[in-house]
Amino acid sequence: MFFNLFTVFSPSQEIHQPYDWKSKIKNLLLSYCYMYLAIILSALFFLRPLDYLVTNILGFPSIMEAIGKSSDRIATISFWFVVIIIPIIEEILFRLFLNFNKKEICLSVFFMLLLALGIRFTSEALFLLSTWVKVGISLSVVVVLYFFVIDSITFSIRIRRSITIVSILAFGLVHIGNLEKLYFSLLLIYPFFVLPQMLIGYFATNLRLKQGFVWGILLHCMTNLTFFLLHKI
């Protein structure tokens, strides 16, 4: 059976399953529906009450409203950037390496290093010396990983499981940065409000492990398309 919700907690050596195209599309649509159902239920029965606690008991501005305002910026961004480019980049960063293949690990690390070094993906940045210095540094690290480090690492089932779970949590946590203003006193509460992103990461990871990297991208694109259209209405 495809939709085993605990796949991400016990990834095996033989990750991809032999589904036909009809089954893969069905699984994609099921993942999309289950994911949004989970997001809606979490918002209604967990995040709303928690937001009430933040505003009426702790006395801080509504985090849900802040998330809504940050989400409104989606409507001002290019359709292709939101629906295609961002999902591909985020999937490379957070899920490409989850088959623990050496090439995929290095490609994910390469993109992580580029972002960590603050590289800008613009046409103007292509002509800056600093851009190519950052690319060179990232490439050098990846070469060392590829030829001298990764082969010496044994990715046991326990390590795979831990890395998979961390990738889901990290995917959600980075979205805290979308909020315009953060309060130090609420640092332990903010992670709960990116539960929807963690759910997206969870279902995308499930598809990635069961059917391959492209299917995780497709789910992510469908998710961003929905958000984009909702904020255009």
Side-chain angles (χ1 to χ4, degrees), residues 89-143:
I89 292 176
E90 290 187 339
E91 290 301 311
I92 290 174
L93 289 172
F94 294 99
R95 278 173 279 281
L96 176 62
F97 58 88
L98 291 179
N99 67 346
F100 298 94
N101 177 280
K102 185 162 67 170
K103 292 180 180 178
E104 277 77 3
I105 291 173
C106 287
L107 184 57
S108 290
V109 170
F110 180 68
F111 272 83
M112 290 177 190
L113 290 171
L114 290 179
L115 290 179
L117 292 172
I119 198 169
R120 291 178 296 163
F121 296 94
T122 62
S123 56
E124 295 83 2
L126 288 174
F127 300 98
L128 297 176
L129 177 61
S130 60
T131 296
W132 294 104
V133 170
K134 293 171 183 177
V135 170
I137 293 172
S138 302
L139 192 57
S140 299
V141 173
V142 166
V143 168

Side-chain angles (χ1 to χ4, degrees), residues 14-179:
E14 194 172 352
I15 296 176
H16 300 165
Q17 303 296 318
Y19 298 108
D20 57 33
W21 279 96
K22 183 178 179 181
S23 296
K24 288 182 177 181
I25 293 172
K26 177 184 177 181
N27 296 336
L28 173 65
L29 296 177
L30 276 175
S31 297
Y32 178 82
C33 293
Y34 285 138
M35 179 189 70
Y36 266 102
L37 177 61
I39 290 173
I40 291 170
L41 291 176
S42 68
L44 289 176
F45 298 107
F46 180 66
L47 297 182
R48 284 295 180 186
L50 185 58
D51 196 52
Y52 179 87
L53 170 69
V54 170
T55 56
N56 292 278
I57 297 178
L58 299 180
F60 288 93
S62 170
I63 298 178
M64 295 290 283
E65 289 182 8
I67 292 173
K69 290 178 181 178
S70 68
S71 298
D72 288 340
R73 295 200 299 268
I74 291 176
T76 65
I77 304 175
S78 164
F79 170 86
W80 297 108
F81 191 74
V82 172
V83 179
I84 305 297
I85 297 176
I86 289 180
I88 291 175
I89 292 176
E90 290 187 339
E91 290 301 311
I92 290 174
L93 289 172
F94 294 99
R95 278 173 279 281
L96 176 62
F97 58 88
L98 291 179
N99 67 346
F100 298 94
N101 177 280
K102 185 162 67 170
K103 292 180 180 178
E104 277 77 3
I105 291 173
C106 287
L107 184 57
S108 290
V109 170
F110 180 68
F111 272 83
M112 290 177 190
L113 290 171
L114 290 179
L115 290 179
L117 292 172
I119 198 169
R120 291 178 296 163
F121 296 94
T122 62
S123 56
E124 295 83 2
L126 288 174
F127 300 98
L128 297 176
L129 177 61
S130 60
T131 296
W132 294 104
V133 170
K134 293 171 183 177
V135 170
I137 293 172
S138 302
L139 192 57
S140 299
V141 173
V142 166
V143 168
V144 172
L145 282 175
Y146 187 88
F147 289 103
F148 303 107
V149 178
I150 295 178
D151 287 334
S152 64
I153 301 174
T154 301
F155 292 104
S156 65
I157 295 298
R158 182 177 180 180
I159 291 176
R160 288 171 180 244
R161 182 186 300 118
S162 299
I163 292 176
T164 300
I165 294 171
V166 168
S167 74
I168 295 172
L169 297 177
F171 176 74
L173 292 174
V174 297
H175 287 83
I176 294 175
N178 292 340
L179 296 174

